[in-house]
Amino acid sequence: MIDVPDLKAVKQALRTQRIETPSWGYGNSGTRFKVFAQAGVPRDPEEKIADAATVHRFTGVAPTVSLHIPWDKVDDYAALSRYAADLGVGLGAINTNVFQDDDYKLGSVTNPDPGIRRKATDHLLEAISIMDATGSRDLKLWFADGLNYPGQDDLRDRQDRLAEALRETYARLGDGQRMLLEYKLFEPAFYATDVPDWGTAYAHCVELGPKATVVIDTGHHAPGTNIEFIVAFLLRQDKLGAFDFNSRFYADDDLMAGAADPFQLFRIMNEIVRADALDPAYGINFMLDQCHNIEAKIPAVIRSVMNVQEATAKALLVDREALRTAQQEGDVLGANAVLMDAFNTDVRPLLAEVREESGLDPDPVAAYRRSGYQKQIEAERAHGPQAGWGA
């Protein structure tokens, strides 16, 4: 391991790190062609929360779980929040869904039909009411809206419709609540997506005000996009609200964070550490957004959390003074070597030590396998419809 000026501070930063897991990550998912069912998958939001609480029990850094409405719809959200608290976790971001209704074939808030736009906006407002009941801070918006063909609709009109819906939703936010606007290059729209990139999302957030910030989904970019540049820019503008961590090889693959390109995840976390933005008090929500199609759900989420932890630990080990000196002296190779030394450090012993000092097993995946929880849920959840997103 490279020399660390303040190992105590590094350990403290790792202990206080927070990573939010997604309720849908515990349900059945798949491709556009097939959803693969697994034994022990949750049947309702309560069982998803129980699985999320299990991940937190073994990792110690995943104390909140995102909900997706209507996938996680219940009659009493305050009761659901109390249930989560009893299990040692909290309810995090409330994710809206305006992409799985036949009415939204031509868009939701940008649809040319004002009645459909009203329906979509009402759903966004409903989500804020759920936030009121759960105590959630973040409203996360992603729109599948877009066009498949030139001339299908007016591009500028659709931006005006989007802005109108966002303004009404923003005005409904309460004290301590904020809006997270996500972007995606393409899919399901193939000609033009209404929020295709960070610049579009950023422009709308600036127009709305300080409670609107941008979500970076690491799978939503064109090949070769420098995501850490986007991170640095949005941090500088105080407009980075959250991440959706996952990995991609080709498009929006939603694989485990750090699985495809761990160096990219390190470079992203390096910008976070450089900006002193890792502390939960800074306000960034480090969320996972993944679909575990063929792998076991809970171990995959645990592994994703660990991958983010490893990238973070490496970023914390960067010798900032040496890096700054090399940069100011124009030492190209020297500066690059500082980063590479940190990235090539095996931080697994350090993280195992941090876990042991926190009363956790040094190997969360192995500890989960020994716990018997998987066999327990497979037996208890043997009957009834499983949660998932269909297809």
Side-chain angles (χ1 to χ4, degrees), residues 231-258:
V231 173
F233 184 93
L234 292 177
L235 283 169
R236 183 173 180 270
Q237 300 297 322
D238 197 25
K239 279 296 182 182
L240 177 56
F243 284 96
D244 275 0
F245 281 130
N246 52 61
S247 281
R248 49 78 61 83
F249 287 103
Y250 298 104
D252 187 23
D253 303 339
D254 275 343
L255 300 174
M256 293 186 299

Side-chain angles (χ1 to χ4, degrees), residues 368-386:
Y368 173 75
R369 288 173 176 160
R370 292 194 305 268
S371 71
Y373 184 81
Q374 187 66 39
K375 289 184 178 179
Q376 174 189 331
I377 60 177
E378 288 181 9
E380 292 176 350
R381 303 172 185 176
H383 304 289
Q386 295 181 321

Side-chain angles (χ1 to χ4, degrees), residues 1-209:
M1 184 181 296
I2 62 177
D3 292 334
V4 182
D6 192 348
L7 186 58
K8 184 178 179 180
V10 169
K11 287 184 173 182
Q12 179 60 17
L14 292 170
R15 273 193 292 269
T16 57
Q17 184 174 23
R18 295 293 177 261
I19 301 166
E20 188 164 305
T21 69
S23 68
W24 56 96
Y26 301 100
N28 284 326
S29 59
T31 68
R32 287 189 295 273
F33 305 102
K34 170 67 177 173
V35 169
F36 301 99
Q38 293 186 20
V41 162
R43 297 162 295 181
D44 53 43
E46 287 81 3
E47 290 179 348
K48 294 178 186 177
I49 291 170
D51 288 356
T54 300
V55 170
H56 180 49
R57 179 157 56 94
F58 288 106
T59 64
V61 296
T64 54
V65 53
S66 299
L67 298 186
H68 210 297
I69 309 299
W71 296 343
D72 297 319
K73 195 165 188 175
V74 296
D75 293 330
D76 190 336
Y77 289 99
L80 188 68
S81 183
R82 291 192 296 271
Y83 173 81
D86 289 342
L87 293 180
V89 293
L91 301 183
I94 304 300
N95 293 255
T96 55
N97 184 324
V98 285
F99 54 85
Q100 279 193 318
D101 190 298
D102 284 345
D103 281 346
Y104 300 142
K105 181 172 67 174
L106 299 180
S108 61
V109 296
T110 65
N111 197 295
D113 185 328
I116 294 176
R117 296 202 300 272
R118 183 70 261 161
K119 173 181 175 178
T121 304
D122 285 345
H123 172 67
L124 308 186
L125 300 177
E126 174 196 15
I128 300 176
S129 296
I130 293 171
M131 294 167 63
D132 294 339
T134 61
S136 298
R137 177 188 62 178
D138 295 335
L139 171 71
K140 188 144 77 73
L141 307 179
W142 173 70
F143 302 104
D145 297 30
L147 308 175
N148 275 358
Y149 299 100
Q152 179 184 325
D153 197 2
D154 188 282
L155 292 171
R156 180 163 175 169
D157 283 352
R158 292 178 74 88
Q159 288 299 308
D160 290 340
R161 298 167 196 157
L162 171 64
E164 181 181 359
L166 291 176
R167 279 195 300 269
E168 182 177 350
T169 305
Y170 186 90
R172 171 64 180 80
L173 292 171
D175 294 338
Q177 294 178 339
R178 61 181 189 168
M179 173 191 296
L180 308 176
L181 182 58
E182 187 174 353
Y183 59 90
K184 186 176 182 180
L185 177 65
F186 81 104
E187 192 189 42
F190 293 105
Y191 165 61
T193 301
D194 290 325
V195 190
D197 51 42
W198 68 272
T200 305
Y202 172 72
H204 280 286
C205 288
V206 168
E207 185 176 308
L208 289 166

Side-chain angles (χ1 to χ4, degrees), residues 155-340:
L155 292 171
R156 180 163 175 169
D157 283 352
R158 292 178 74 88
Q159 288 299 308
D160 290 340
R161 298 167 196 157
L162 171 64
E164 181 181 359
L166 291 176
R167 279 195 300 269
E168 182 177 350
T169 305
Y170 186 90
R172 171 64 180 80
L173 292 171
D175 294 338
Q177 294 178 339
R178 61 181 189 168
M179 173 191 296
L180 308 176
L181 182 58
E182 187 174 353
Y183 59 90
K184 186 176 182 180
L185 177 65
F186 81 104
E187 192 189 42
F190 293 105
Y191 165 61
T193 301
D194 290 325
V195 190
D197 51 42
W198 68 272
T200 305
Y202 172 72
H204 280 286
C205 288
V206 168
E207 185 176 308
L208 289 166
K211 291 183 179 181
T213 57
V214 179
V215 179
I216 297 177
D217 185 307
T218 49
H220 283 188
H221 305 83
T225 297
N226 187 325
I227 298 176
E228 59 268 29
F229 169 81
I230 303 171
V231 173
F233 184 93
L234 292 177
L235 283 169
R236 183 173 180 270
Q237 300 297 322
D238 197 25
K239 279 296 182 182
L240 177 56
F243 284 96
D244 275 0
F245 281 130
N246 52 61
S247 281
R248 49 78 61 83
F249 287 103
Y250 298 104
D252 187 23
D253 303 339
D254 275 343
L255 300 174
M256 293 186 299
D261 189 352
F263 187 45
Q264 180 190 71
L265 185 56
F266 161 75
R267 298 193 311 265
I268 290 170
M269 294 312 300
N270 177 59
E271 293 301 327
I272 293 295
V273 172
R274 182 253 182 264
D276 292 325
L278 185 62
D279 192 308
Y282 192 92
I284 296 176
N285 193 347
F286 298 94
M287 295 184 275
L288 303 179
D289 180 15
Q290 302 172 171
C291 291
H292 305 293
N293 303 339
I294 58 176
E295 64 270 35
K297 313 294 182 180
I298 297 173
V301 177
I302 292 174
R303 172 53 62 189
S304 298
V305 170
M306 294 172 67
N307 288 349
V308 176
Q309 286 182 294
E310 289 179 15
T312 304
K314 293 179 178 185
L316 288 165
L317 294 181
V318 171
D319 188 333
R320 300 287 157 185
E321 183 176 347
L323 180 61
R324 175 63 70 180
T325 297
Q327 290 171 341
Q328 291 179 341
E329 293 178 353
D331 185 355
V332 176
L333 294 179
N336 178 252
V338 172
L339 285 186
M340 296 310 299

